[in-house]
């Protein structure tokens, strides 16, 4: 990759959201913002190799995109107010009163993650408008037809326009709930990359985990005081650090107790641990941790152990006890049972897991956990049946291969 190509790639990742956000604020229309930004980047691909990278690539892209947007408005003969806006040489929109947080990109994230939209639609729109992923890339990530994904994004933008969803940071009283929605979207993107679903896909989608981390870093930079943003970033970093050891050469998922810990990314672990220590210090000062902070702390315990035998399961169980109080969901109870098995034995854990049967009957990890506990108790026939059900429900190719091997090892 030559210097111009590197500059174009870097500019796309760093400037896409900034350009789209600036255009959305200027013109109040996501369609215009998206198309003008895309045209500006296309112009850069055409002109930069011949004329060289401009001194300020971001400014060049924004200026070019604004001109493209104005050209489109004039060309399509929009409403009279759009004509007047197109004749404006500068943005004369009165500035909003300054608040604790004021950034066009953050406004864009909150707009894309508005609760008026369905969760999967928020994910798709965020990846397109904030992440700059193409419609085909998003469609491939979530295993839907390109046309269907395009329609989903188009309908989302239309709904935002029709519902007059405001392009602004939520008020102080609404901010905590709305931030949680943003983080949930970013976590969904990460999880789809971490354990990619569907046959024929790679077991791990590094492009999606990397994009989720990049967007969470952006949110962290814009909201440095938000503890749950820091917690989610730490959780992602500590999980991503284990990626080099998670898939075998044959494409099989490698369980945590079998991973080569020397292959873990020490830099990501150090950064994740630093963020967790920051949050622990805040907790010591009386600030109760949230869900993502606790999950990050659990991962910090795992990544602190040089060997699986060194894992502090007592601390992990204590953290899960905290998490259950915040999120008493069956999935949290299932994960807590794994720690119980290490401390009190598989029989005690199995009793907990069996109480979750009705709630988690369609969840592959429930059956996989149960199969492992039954295996440890020497109940091979029941374990095999549980593995069969887990394999049937698992959507990840690497996980299916792992579960099949474990089942076939049973006598």
């Amino acid at each position: 990759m030559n210097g111009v190509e590197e500059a174009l790639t870097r500019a796309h990742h760093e400037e896409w959201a900034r350009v789209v956000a600036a255009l959305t604020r200027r013109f109040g229309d996501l369609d215009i913002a998206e198309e003008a930004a895309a045209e500006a980047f296309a112009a850069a691909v055409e002109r930069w190799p011949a004329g060289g990278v401009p001194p300020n690539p971001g400014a060049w892209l924004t200026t070019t995109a604004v001109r493209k947007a104005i050209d489109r408005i004039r060309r399509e003969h929009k409403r009279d107010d759009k004509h007047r806006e197109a004749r404006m040489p500068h943005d004369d929109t009165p500035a909003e009163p300054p608040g604790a947080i004021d950034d066009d990109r953050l406004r864009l994230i909150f707009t894309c993650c508005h609760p008026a939209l369905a969760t999967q639609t928020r994910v798709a729109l965020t990846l397109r408008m904030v992440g700059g992923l193409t419609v085909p890339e998003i469609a491939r990530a979530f295993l839907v037809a390109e046309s269907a994904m395009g329609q989903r994004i188009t309908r989302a933008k239309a709904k935002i326009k029709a519902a007059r969803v405001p392009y602004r940071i939520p008020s102080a009283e609404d901010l905590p709930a709305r931030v949680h929605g943003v983080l949930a979207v970013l976590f969904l993107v990460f999880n789809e990359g971490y354990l990619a679903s569907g046959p024929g896909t790679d077991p791990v989608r590094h492009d999606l985990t990397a994009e989720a981390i990049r967007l969470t870093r952006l949110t962290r930079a814009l909201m440095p005081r938000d503890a749950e943003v820091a917690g989610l970033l730490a959780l992602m970093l500590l999980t991503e650090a284990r990626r080099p050891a998670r898939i075998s050469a044959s494409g099989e998922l490698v369980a945590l107790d079998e991973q080569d810990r020397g292959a873990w990314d020490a830099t990501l672990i150090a950064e994740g641990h630093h963020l967790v220590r920051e949050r622990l210090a805040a907790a010591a000062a009386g600030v109760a941790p949230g869900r993502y902070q606790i999950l990050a702390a659990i991962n910090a315990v795992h990544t602190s152990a040089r060997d699986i035998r060194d894992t502090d399961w007592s601390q992990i169980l204590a953290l899960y006890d905290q998490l259950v109080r915040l999120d008493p969901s069956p999935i949290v109870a299932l994960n807590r049972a794994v720690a119980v098995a290490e401390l009190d034995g598989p029989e005690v854990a199995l009793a907990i897991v069996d109480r979750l049967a009705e709630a988690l009957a369609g969840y592959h990890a429930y059956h996989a956990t149960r199969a492992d506990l039954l295996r440890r108790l020497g109940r091979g026939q029941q374990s095999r049946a549980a593995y069969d059900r887990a394999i049937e429900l698992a959507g990840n190719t690497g996980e299916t291969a792992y579960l099949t091997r474990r089942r076939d090892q049973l006598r």
Side-chain angles (χ1 to χ4, degrees):
M1 183 180 289
N2 60 39
V4 172
E5 290 174 332
E6 288 179 357
L8 283 166
T9 302
R10 187 168 58 252
H12 185 277
H13 287 297
E14 294 177 356
E15 298 297 336
W16 173 268
R18 196 187 305 274
V19 172
V20 172
L23 293 175
T24 303
R25 176 174 58 82
R26 168 75 185 269
F27 298 104
D29 190 306
L30 286 174
D31 271 324
I32 290 175
E34 178 188 2
E35 293 187 17
E39 289 180 14
F41 277 87
V45 171
E46 180 182 344
R47 297 179 192 176
W48 290 8
V53 179
N56 189 334
W60 188 97
L61 288 165
T62 301
T63 301
T64 302
V66 168
R67 290 172 180 161
K68 297 285 185 184
I70 291 173
D71 287 345
R72 176 185 164 176
I73 292 169
R74 286 173 173 158
R75 210 167 43 239
E76 296 182 1
H77 300 288
K78 292 289 185 180
R79 297 184 301 271
D80 289 344
D81 58 333
K82 296 278 182 154
H83 279 294
R84 287 195 297 272
E85 189 172 28
R87 289 194 294 270
M88 294 179 187
H90 304 289
D91 182 7
D92 295 330
T93 305
E96 293 186 8
I101 305 167
D102 186 14
D103 187 283
D104 282 344
R105 292 163 297 170
L106 195 60
R107 295 170 193 263
L108 182 62
I109 291 174
F110 274 101
T111 299
C112 292
C113 296
H114 197 277
L117 302 174
T119 300
Q120 289 301 322
T121 300
R122 295 183 216 172
V123 172
L125 194 60
T126 301
L127 288 175
R128 177 68 194 125
M129 305 303 295
V130 184
L133 274 67
T134 65
V135 172
E137 286 173 330
I138 301 169
R140 283 197 301 272
F142 291 95
L143 304 173
V144 299
E146 182 180 333
S147 58
M149 182 56 71
Q151 290 170 2
R152 182 182 297 178
I153 293 173
T154 298
R155 285 195 297 267
K157 291 185 290 187
K159 185 168 186 176
I160 285 174
K161 191 172 184 178
R164 298 177 182 265
V165 171
Y167 174 63
R168 64 169 184 248
I169 307 297
S171 61
E173 57 270 23
D174 293 336
L175 188 58
R178 289 287 303 279
V179 169
H180 179 76
V182 169
L183 299 184
V185 166
L186 297 177
F187 196 32
L188 278 173
V189 175
F190 183 85
N191 279 338
E192 177 56 32
Y194 171 73
L195 204 64
S197 58
T201 60
D202 291 334
V204 175
R205 289 287 308 277
H206 177 54
D207 56 337
L208 285 181
T209 58
E211 183 61 21
I213 289 171
R214 189 183 72 82
L215 293 176
T216 306
R217 285 192 188 279
L218 170 62
T219 308
R220 161 84 168 153
L222 300 173
M223 303 180 67
R225 294 184 181 86
D226 190 283
E228 278 290 79
V229 175
L232 180 57
L233 179 57
L235 173 59
M236 288 181 179
L237 294 175
L238 294 172
T239 306
E240 179 71 1
R242 302 197 301 270
R243 179 175 57 84
R246 285 189 65 238
I247 303 296
S248 71
S250 62
E252 180 183 316
L253 184 74
V254 181
L256 182 62
D257 60 337
E258 298 176 333
Q259 288 178 13
D260 174 10
R261 301 188 174 215
W264 290 355
D265 190 318
T267 301
L268 292 182
I269 290 174
E271 184 181 358
H273 284 184
H274 175 73
L275 288 168
V276 169
R277 284 194 297 272
E278 279 187 358
R279 301 323 316 153
L280 289 175
V287 181
R291 176 172 178 261
Y292 295 119
Q293 296 168 70
I294 296 173
L295 287 170
I298 291 169
N299 276 268
V301 176
H302 280 302
T303 50
S304 295
R306 292 176 177 268
D307 186 275
I308 188 67
R309 293 168 294 186
D310 300 328
T311 304
D312 188 344
W313 289 105
S314 296
Q315 188 176 1
I316 289 176
L317 183 59
L319 287 166
Y320 270 118
D321 287 340
Q322 279 187 269
L323 187 58
V324 165
R325 289 193 288 272
L326 281 179
D327 179 14
S329 70
I331 291 178
V332 172
L334 178 68
N335 293 330
R336 178 183 177 276
V338 174
V340 170
E342 298 299 324
L343 291 169
D344 300 327
E347 190 166 1
V348 175
L350 183 61
I352 296 171
V353 169
D354 282 344
R355 289 196 291 270
L356 306 172
E358 184 176 353
L360 298 178
Y363 183 45
H364 77 279
Y366 163 76
H367 297 283
T369 302
R370 190 167 179 273
D372 183 64
L373 294 172
L374 289 165
R375 177 190 62 79
R376 291 166 64 179
L377 288 168
R379 294 156 64 176
Q381 188 173 353
Q382 292 174 287
S383 178
R384 179 178 293 275
Y387 273 124
D388 285 341
R389 184 59 176 153
I391 291 165
E392 181 184 346
L393 293 171
N396 181 272
T397 55
E399 193 166 21
T400 299
Y402 165 75
L403 293 170
T404 301
R405 176 175 65 83
R406 297 290 283 180
R407 180 198 62 190
D408 294 346
Q409 287 174 339
L410 290 170
R411 294 182 179 178

